[in-house]
Amino acid sequence: MEAYKRVTLARKKTRPTGQDFINNIFTDFIELHGDRCFGDDPAVITGIGYLLDMPVTIIAQERGKNTKSRIKRNFGSAHPEGYRKALRQMHLAEKFNRPIVCLIDTSGAFCGIGAEERGQGHAIAQNLMEMMSLKVPVISIIIGEGGSGGALALGVADEVWMLENAIYSVISPEGCASILWKDSSKTKEAANCLKLTAQDLLELEVIDKIISENHRDFKNVYRELKLNLYKRFRKSQILSPEILTQTRYNRFRKFGALDITK
């Protein structure tokens, strides 16, 4: 399947959102609000729940499902308070030794004046730094669109998984085409160049697992994710915090490095 076809599937209006994944994978979910600094950001849902019998912290970017909810959720584009809320929950997870699941689905962080005034860049950078040293297992799953730093701010994990038709890229194909060629008609060509599909990123070792969408039968997707997350967290929980954090650090340090043994 060509790359731009994956882009359209990742953005499809009927595609399940972060809230759908929470409702179908976790039980007894309790949402927790606010960054204890400025306010609450509806574009990011955070809280605690159970993964089978395991208490976990869940952080999900939420786009909304109709016009009213999309406006409320700012189409999944978080403000700084959204990322600070996520980080607050990560620290609580670390305090109570709960694994963390991040569900990524955003075209990018919000770039409005207010967001910049409140330190959007710093909030994202803070998450990157703090997530690297979290002493609990972290798995990030790209469920739709993983756009730029807005996605990466929840993507520093022990493992990064992607749904079969999700995308993950530093820039949108439209933005890339307008910058490189000053021609929006080359969006499809840009999508191919960006290597943004799950298949491309697995080959590049940027992600660790592709979750099949079973012809977009998401009941099976939820079931597979629930079991895979549970098994992976059970394995991670026997590791010492030192090994966990060092392995996570090594995972990101190798990006872009040439393996001369191959």
Side-chain angles (χ1 to χ4, degrees), residues 51-54 226-234:
L51 176 65
L52 298 178
D53 62 350
M54 182 188 299
K226 181 185 292 188
L227 294 175
N228 285 338
L229 282 168
Y230 187 82
K231 290 176 183 176
R232 188 67 187 86
F233 282 144
R234 281 297 182 208

Side-chain angles (χ1 to χ4, degrees), residues 71-85:
I71 291 171
K72 175 186 176 183
R73 304 285 185 182
N74 202 31
F75 298 86
S77 293
H79 291 75
E81 48 271 24
Y83 296 114
R84 291 181 179 126
K85 173 171 72 170

Side-chain angles (χ1 to χ4, degrees), residues 6 8 55 62 87 90 115 140-141 147 185 197 210 229 231 237 241 254-255:
R6 305 275 188 194
T8 59
E62 172 61 33
L87 184 58
M90 292 177 199
S140 294
I141 307 167
S185 68
T197 68
I210 298 175
L229 282 168
K231 290 176 183 176
Q237 285 180 323
K254 73 178 183 180
F255 283 4

Side-chain angles (χ1 to χ4, degrees), residues 52-239:
L52 298 178
D53 62 350
M54 182 188 299
V56 295
T57 288
I58 305 113
I59 299 166
Q61 291 168 323
E62 172 61 33
R63 289 174 174 268
K65 299 183 76 70
N66 53 43
T67 302
K68 185 176 180 179
S69 64
R70 288 188 185 113
I71 291 171
K72 175 186 176 183
R73 304 285 185 182
N74 202 31
F75 298 86
S77 293
H79 291 75
E81 48 271 24
Y83 296 114
R84 291 181 179 126
K85 173 171 72 170
L87 184 58
R88 186 172 77 88
Q89 294 307 319
M90 292 177 199
H91 284 154
L92 281 173
E94 188 175 44
K95 178 178 180 179
F96 293 104
N97 198 31
R98 290 193 298 262
I100 300 168
V101 181
C102 295
L103 301 171
I104 297 171
D105 187 16
T106 181
S107 58
F110 189 59
C111 56
I113 292 174
E116 296 299 332
E117 287 175 341
R118 297 194 297 279
Q120 184 71 289
H122 181 270
I124 292 171
Q126 189 81 14
N127 277 29
L128 303 183
M129 181 179 72
E130 298 276 359
M131 288 185 77
M132 191 65 75
S133 59
L134 288 171
K135 294 179 174 60
V136 292
V138 185
I139 292 179
S140 294
I141 307 167
I142 302 162
I143 61 173
E145 191 171 6
S148 193
L152 191 59
L154 298 182
V156 181
D158 305 316
E159 290 190 6
V160 176
W161 302 350
M162 281 182 74
L163 267 61
E164 180 184 359
N165 292 314
I167 59 171
Y168 192 26
S169 176
V170 69
I171 192 172
S172 69
E174 294 83 1
C176 179
S178 65
I179 290 171
L180 289 185
W181 297 293
K182 305 291 190 290
D183 184 354
S184 60
S185 68
K186 294 194 174 182
T187 298
K188 292 183 179 180
E189 185 177 343
N192 289 326
C193 293
L194 285 168
K195 302 293 183 185
L196 45 64
T197 68
Q199 292 71 22
D200 288 331
L201 293 168
L202 184 65
E203 185 177 332
L204 292 169
E205 298 183 356
V206 172
I207 66 167
D208 304 278
K209 184 193 289 285
I210 298 175
I211 306 297
S212 171
E213 295 188 14
N214 296 299
H215 305 289
R216 292 183 284 287
D217 177 5
F218 280 92
K219 287 183 180 179
N220 285 330
V221 174
Y222 300 139
R223 189 181 306 112
E224 183 180 352
L225 276 174
K226 181 185 292 188
L227 294 175
N228 285 338
L229 282 168
Y230 187 82
K231 290 176 183 176
R232 188 67 187 86
F233 282 144
R234 281 297 182 208
K235 289 180 180 178
S236 296
Q237 285 180 323
I238 65 174
L239 301 175

